Amino acid sequence: MNLVRRLSVCTSVVITSALTSVALASAAVTIPFQINPAPYGNPNGSFDAPAVRCVAVVGELPGTVTITGGKEDRWGCLLSSEVRWLNLSTGVSGSARLSDGLNGVPAEAIVQTGTGQVAVAVTSVAGSIITPGVASFYLP
């Protein structure tokens, strides 16, 4: 009887810890970063060109990050921009493009970088002068 109790306690501890780690791993984390426009070559920006706020959403899928806008309903990031990424843990790199934001769908890019420490840079492809937005984070 004593053995049965010990086994049931051990089993419940293992199951509880496994379920807790799954719940923690599935929680999405939002990491904000911004892109600073430099109209007319002015690196300080101006009143008519505010900073663009983007976010990296980590934890929705393993080894995947979503780059999108930081405003309500994921709006606010540059439309049709280029996302360059580097997985610092594996050395793998690549690029993607944010969607165009047409038909009421906010601009976003879902990037599969693999797990590890990742750095991303978002740049404009419109030819305007901007300081790229940069973020670094760990992908589970």
Side-chain angles (χ1 to χ4, degrees):
M1 192 64 155
N2 211 4
L3 177 64
V4 173
R5 275 191 220 147
R6 287 181 185 172
L7 284 175
S8 65
V9 168
C10 289
T11 304
S12 65
V13 168
V14 168
I15 291 173
T16 303
S17 64
L19 291 176
T20 303
S21 64
V22 169
L24 291 176
S26 64
V29 176
T30 302
I31 302 158
F33 62 98
Q34 74 180 27
I35 301 169
N36 295 318
Y40 313 111
N42 179 359
N44 297 320
S46 72
F47 67 91
D48 60 342
V52 177
R53 289 182 171 72
C54 300
V55 296
V57 182
V58 175
E60 292 179 323
L61 295 172
T64 303
V65 60
T66 301
I67 306 296
T68 188
K71 294 182 179 178
E72 184 178 342
D73 296 328
R74 295 191 168 184
W75 287 99
C77 201
L78 290 174
L79 302 175
S80 301
S81 299
E82 185 173 15
V83 177
R84 294 178 184 244
W85 59 271
L86 171 64
N87 188 321
L88 301 170
S89 299
T90 63
V92 178
S93 64
S95 65
R97 185 165 308 232
L98 266 76
S99 56
D100 54 18
L102 295 176
N103 301 318
V105 179
E108 73 176 16
I110 299 172
V111 184
Q112 296 177 349
T113 63
T115 60
Q117 188 70 28
V118 176
V120 297
V122 178
T123 60
S124 173
V125 294
S128 60
I129 300 171
I130 66 165
T131 303
V134 178
S136 178
F137 42 83
Y138 182 81
L139 277 175

